[in-house]
Amino acid sequence: GNSVTQMEGPVTLSEEAFLTINCTYTATGYPSLFWYVQYPGEGLQLLLKATKADDKGSNKGFEATYRKETTSFHLEKGSVQVSDSAVYFCALPVNAGGTSYGKLTFGQGTILTVHP
Amino acid sequence: NAGVTQTPKFRILKIGQSMTLQCTQDMNHNYMYWYRQDPGMGLKLIYYSVGAGITDKGEVPNGYNVSRSTTEDFPLRLELAAPSQTSVYFCASSRDQGYGYTFGSGTRLTVV
C-alpha cells in the first residue's frame, strides 16, 4: 500500500518566519494528497489538497505543490502567525485507484509552535 | 451546520467495561471512518463504512465493533475495555473518495 513520511518535529518559529514542513510519499499511480491541521483540543480539519501532479493546493496562506519527480508534497507558509500553532498531518489514500474506499494513511504529525 | 458530531467528549472506563462511542453526520455522506490517535503515532484506522449496512475492518479492529444501520450514524462499540484502548477517537465522513474528510471533535477515552 501507499505510505507517507513526514518530517519530525516539533518545529518552533517566531511570528512572521517562513515555514516548511516536509512530506514525502510512496504510492502507486498519482493519488490525491492532503494536508490536515489539528488545533489544540480539536479534531482534524482539511487544510488543502492536490489531485494531480504539479497541482498546487492553497488555503489560509499555506501552499503545497504535488511533485511527482521527488514524490513530495511539502507544506509552506511565507509568514506564520501565533494562531498557526497546531499539529499538521500529511495524508494520502492507502491504495491506488478505487480500492482504497476513501481510506487515508496519515503521517505521524508535526507540531508547530509559533512564538510572538 | 453540525457536520460530524461525536459523543461523549471524555470518558473514563474501568478495565473490562464496555461502551459505545456515538458518531452522527448530517451531510448525507456515504463514507464514514473511525480512527484512533495515539501520541506521536498519527492516526490508525479502526473500521470504515461505504454506506448503510456495509462495514469493514481497518488496520487496528481488534477489541472494537461497528454498525451502520443508517447513513447518518456510525457508532463504535468497545467490548471489555483494556488499557491499550486509552486513546483519542475520531470519527470522520467523506462525500466520496478523493474528497477528503470532515472530522468530529473527538472522544478522549481513558481505561484504568
Side-chain angles (χ1 to χ4, degrees), chain A residues 26-104:
Chain A
T26 302
T28 303
Y30 302 104
S32 295
L33 301 174
F34 304 88
W35 275 102
Y36 285 84
V37 58
Q38 183 179 28
Y39 298 104
E42 299 183 10
L44 283 73
Q45 303 174 25
L46 179 63
L47 180 60
L48 55 83
K49 72 174 187 179
T51 59
K52 60 183 187 296
D54 300 324
D55 257 5
K56 178 181 286 189
S58 61
N59 186 26
K60 300 182 180 181
F62 290 89
E63 292 183 339
T65 301
Y66 192 136
R67 305 266 189 216
K68 66 176 182 177
E69 302 85 2
T70 53
T71 61
S72 65
F73 192 54
H74 304 324
L75 183 68
E76 297 181 334
K77 186 174 185 182
S79 176
V80 293
Q81 306 299 312
V82 171
S83 57
D84 294 326
S85 298
V87 184
Y88 293 82
F89 294 90
C90 187
L92 76 164
V94 298
N95 296 110
T99 62
S100 69
Y101 301 109
K103 295 178 289 182
L104 298 179

Side-chain angles (χ1 to χ4, degrees), chain A residues 32 34 36 38 42-44 46 49 89 97-98 100-104 106-108, chain B residues 31 33 35 37 40-43 45 48 50 90 97-101 103-105:
Chain A
S32 295
F34 304 88
Y36 285 84
Q38 183 179 28
E42 299 183 10
L44 283 73
L46 179 63
K49 72 174 187 179
F89 294 90
S100 69
Y101 301 109
K103 295 178 289 182
L104 298 179
F106 289 83
Q108 76 271 30
Chain B
Y31 294 79
Y33 310 86
Y35 284 85
Q37 183 182 31
M41 300 296 290
L43 281 78
L45 181 65
Y48 69 102
V50 300
F90 288 104
Q97 300 186 66
Y99 277 85
Y101 293 170
F103 279 88
S105 58

